[in-house]
Amino acid sequence: MHLRPILILTALTLPAVAQTPATHPTPSPNATIHNVFWQPNELHQGSPIFLTVELEHPAIRVTGNFINKPITFFADPTDKKTWHALAGVDLEANPGDYGLDVTATLIGGHLAHSTQQVTIAPGDFKTGDINVPDNYVNPSDAEQKQIAQDEILKKHAYARSAPHPLWSGDFVKPVAAPSTPSFGESRILNEEKTSLHTGTDFPTPEATPVLLSNSGTVVLVRDLFYEGNTVIVDHGLGVFTVYLHMSRIDVHEGDKLAKGAKLGLSGASGRVTGPHLHLGVRWNGVWLDPVQLLALTLPKTDAPAPAHHPTPRSRR
Ligand SMILES: [Zn+2]
């Protein structure tokens, strides 16, 4: 793993006091966060971040906050002194320096806390012009009604996430095709409307198998107006992957799937200029760069291994 240790060590230097039965967790002079690491080393707008916190004493809970987003860490399967979180930088966050806060609640109730400055560089995003059928720029009244309903469905799908990681190990490519540098691109549709591209496109022939990038639970299977045939999968602790424009979907909402499970076939449904798979990565309501997520070296978690295939009702 390419983890670069970053300084840290905010020992809470309160004077020692006689131990009294505490009704609230109190800082201890010994309660320190030993180290905070992350990858990738260089963070940009839209970067996913894999954080590791090392503690001197075992903890029962570790939380964080970064650019106004709460972070929930999970314990390493082997060691309650090492905690991890998959988090990220909003594609639309302003570049600059931000404080990364981490708080550990140690066994016995003592708190350990650290804050450090993290620099977010501007993303290198492209601009482009694309042409799509006019109704995708100027939808009819009926289509606007569907768009509004789609928004509610998506909001509902993202509203809950498993309280522990469902993923384990690296995220893998969903199709056997190279990605395009399309994340964060500002697109002008039909010379009329600007659209921010929140995922990565993989150009594929129609009917290319689409595979699940990491283990998780299917939370939405729908034909949406802009997105076409869509699958959204929860990976736990606020991380979702999103698969758009498919021609066929072979899974159902509620399916618990293993990494590499076949979700269906790629296609050209919804607002597209040609067949491709669009992969989106969402964390805590913001969009992250799928290509950077695929490049992270991630550890095994103690996520229960689901069956590799969809549940029996989904099988042919
Ligand atoms: Zn796309």
Side-chain angles (χ1 to χ4, degrees):
M1 300 223 306
H2 304 286
L3 298 179
R4 186 181 63 175
I6 315 288
L7 72 143
I8 244 296
L9 236 146
T10 315
L12 290 160
T13 51
L14 295 185
V17 290
Q19 282 289 333
T20 50
T23 49
H24 301 288
T26 47
S28 148
N30 300 322
T32 61
I33 290 179
H34 204 58
N35 227 331
V36 178
F37 308 82
W38 63 80
Q39 57 162 319
N41 289 338
E42 311 269 315
L43 299 176
H44 306 266
Q45 293 168 295
S47 291
I49 311 171
F50 182 66
L51 289 158
T52 298
V53 171
E54 291 177 348
L55 305 166
E56 285 186 352
H57 303 285
I60 51 173
R61 179 177 144 86
V62 178
T63 58
N65 196 288
F66 187 55
I67 320 184
N68 302 318
K69 294 287 177 190
I71 302 173
T72 305
F73 288 79
F74 60 92
D76 191 277
T78 60
D79 176 13
K80 296 277 183 221
K81 292 195 287 186
T82 303
W83 292 66
H84 306 289
L86 191 50
V89 182
D90 185 353
L91 164 62
E92 299 185 75
N94 291 319
D97 291 340
Y98 294 91
L100 167 64
D101 293 322
V102 177
T103 300
T105 305
L106 306 178
I107 291 172
H110 291 309
L111 296 178
H113 185 77
S114 83
T115 300
Q116 59 197 288
Q117 291 297 301
V118 178
T119 300
I120 304 304
D124 180 18
F125 302 134
K126 299 189 177 316
T127 54
D129 300 298
I130 61 170
N131 288 299
V132 293
D134 185 63
N135 65 319
Y136 286 113
V137 176
N138 297 298
S140 69
D141 288 351
E143 288 165 341
Q144 287 184 38
K145 196 175 269 184
Q146 193 199 334
I147 292 163
Q149 287 169 352
D150 291 352
E151 287 301 321
I152 293 168
L153 288 170
K154 287 183 279 182
K155 195 174 164 190
H156 185 76
Y158 293 127
R160 265 167 299 163
S161 182
H164 49 87
L166 302 177
W167 61 269
S168 186
D170 295 355
F171 283 71
V172 299
K173 266 169 73 165
V175 286
S179 59
T180 58
S182 48
F183 175 74
E185 186 176 334
S186 291
R187 291 172 170 177
I188 299 170
L189 309 174
N190 301 359
E191 302 180 345
E192 206 176 311
K193 189 180 167 188
T194 305
S195 169
L196 180 64
H197 192 246
T198 57
T200 293
D201 292 340
F202 295 80
T204 55
E206 283 267 359
T208 301
V210 176
L211 309 180
L212 182 59
S213 185
N214 212 321
S215 305
T217 302
V218 179
V219 293
L220 182 131
V221 171
R222 295 289 165 135
D223 182 9
L224 305 175
F225 180 71
Y226 288 122
E227 296 88 345
N229 289 315
T230 298
V231 177
I232 301 179
V233 176
D234 174 31
H235 300 288
L237 296 177
V239 178
F240 296 85
T241 52
V242 183
Y243 308 78
L244 308 185
H245 311 309
M246 294 170 66
S247 59
R248 198 184 85 188
I249 297 176
D250 295 338
V251 296
H252 296 85
E253 290 174 10
D255 284 353
K256 295 179 193 312
L257 302 178
K259 187 190 312 193
K262 187 179 162 200
L263 301 178
L265 302 175
S266 71
S269 56
R271 189 179 70 190
V272 297
T273 56
H276 69 278
L277 178 77
H278 171 114
L279 174 66
V281 174
R282 202 169 163 92
W283 170 73
N284 260 357
V286 304
W287 294 108
L288 305 182
D289 183 351
V291 172
Q292 285 193 49
L293 179 68
L294 297 174
L296 294 181
T297 301
L298 299 177
K300 296 238 183 307
T301 66
D302 55 3
H308 189 78
H309 294 290
T311 49
R313 69 197 156 89
S314 321
R315 285 186 185 166
R316 273 171 289 158

